[in-house]
Amino acid sequence: LVSSAVYGTAQRSATGFDVRRLNMLLAVLERRAGFKLAQKDVFLNMAGGLKVSDPACDLAVVAAVLSSNFDFAIPSDNCFAGEVGRGEIRPVAQTDRRVGEASRLGFKRIFVSSFASLDRTPQGIEVVKVADIPALVRSLFK
């Protein structure tokens, strides 16, 4: 959830996700992609009580923050697997396996790093390769 800060200082809260990592991702969105989030409260909750430490979740967190900020729903058949660096999207381990599992679970589209190497793409899923946050925004919110 992203909303305007009502008490002056923006709050950052994360359940099931490292709040320092969330702060870093928000700083990247602010500094490298030009999104004004400094005066926004950001609350992140991993569903089902999960505790996530895999950097591959970075791209999903960024997409969720942008979705809430723009008040634009991401289709439920999209998924994400990428680490966010200083604005670039880095490939993650076992990208082929992640794409295959996403396809098996019924996802229709997966966003991965443009630097990820894929041996093959399973039938029924579109792989969208993005190099950085602006490319993600263009692909996701077109």
Side-chain angles (χ1 to χ4, degrees):
L1 173 66
V2 177
S3 64
S4 296
V6 288
Y7 298 114
T9 304
Q11 296 182 58
R12 308 292 195 229
S13 174
T15 303
F17 192 82
D18 183 9
V19 73
R20 292 172 302 181
R21 186 86 179 158
L22 174 62
N23 286 329
M24 186 277 301
L25 294 172
L26 296 174
V28 167
L29 286 172
E30 181 94 20
R31 177 83 172 164
R32 302 284 184 204
F35 295 102
K36 305 299 179 203
L37 298 169
Q39 298 303 314
K40 303 275 185 160
D41 291 335
V42 178
F43 302 97
L44 176 65
N45 181 33
M46 293 295 162
L50 292 175
K51 291 193 186 307
V52 179
S53 61
D54 186 353
C57 293
D58 288 357
L59 197 55
V61 169
V62 164
V65 167
L66 294 175
S67 170
S68 181
N69 188 55
F70 294 142
D71 199 24
F72 182 86
I74 295 172
S76 62
D77 60 358
N78 287 351
C79 70
F80 306 85
E83 180 179 2
V84 174
R86 294 180 341 197
E88 78 279 4
I89 309 302
R90 298 176 183 161
V92 295
Q94 302 179 7
T95 302
D96 278 323
R97 192 170 178 187
R98 293 173 194 263
V99 171
E101 191 64 16
S103 176
R104 190 182 72 72
L105 290 171
F107 289 99
K108 300 295 181 207
R109 192 158 74 150
I110 184 169
F111 291 81
V112 300
S113 170
S114 61
F115 306 106
S117 61
L118 295 171
D119 294 333
R120 63 176 190 80
T121 302
Q123 292 253 335
I125 191 165
E126 174 190 3
V127 176
V128 180
K129 291 189 170 189
V130 291
D132 53 24
I133 301 293
L136 173 68
V137 172
R138 285 190 301 274
S139 297
L140 195 56
F141 300 111
K142 59 181 171 179

